[in-house]
Amino acid sequence: MAKESLKAREIKRAKLIAKYAEKRQELKKIINGNDYEAKQAAIVALQKLPPNSNPIRLHNRCKLTGRPKGYMRQFGISRINFREMASEGLIPGVKKASW
């Protein structure tokens, strides 16, 4: 079980990412353009954005426990929870083979 403070930090980062996503995208377009002056200004503006507004900083966490490791993107849960739910029959179409 992850600490509540870590979960709260991830929620805060997700909000920052959503807030600055459009601005970051516009600056990236300018950076990929041909105008040298505008490119330099856009790079400086991009560096002044909060570091946690970068989508790279967001961690995938299990929706049930908050565990960051062993995350299965297709289901949004950790491998441990997936295994428990599959053996209880809560995930349709999954058969227990040899685990």
Side-chain angles (χ1 to χ4, degrees), residues 1-10 61 65-68:
M1 199 73 174
K3 288 183 179 179
E4 293 300 317
S5 61
L6 295 178
K7 290 181 190 177
R9 186 185 308 163
E10 291 298 321
R61 289 188 174 273
T65 60
R67 178 183 164 89

Side-chain angles (χ1 to χ4, degrees), residues 5-19:
S5 61
L6 295 178
K7 290 181 190 177
R9 186 185 308 163
E10 291 298 321
I11 292 169
K12 186 177 177 183
R13 283 183 181 160
K15 287 179 184 176
L16 264 176
I17 290 167
K19 181 178 178 182

Side-chain angles (χ1 to χ4, degrees), residues 64-79:
L64 303 175
T65 60
R67 178 183 164 89
K69 297 182 179 176
Y71 178 79
M72 299 177 78
R73 191 177 302 230
Q74 185 177 0
F75 299 97
I77 56 175
S78 68
R79 62 179 179 79

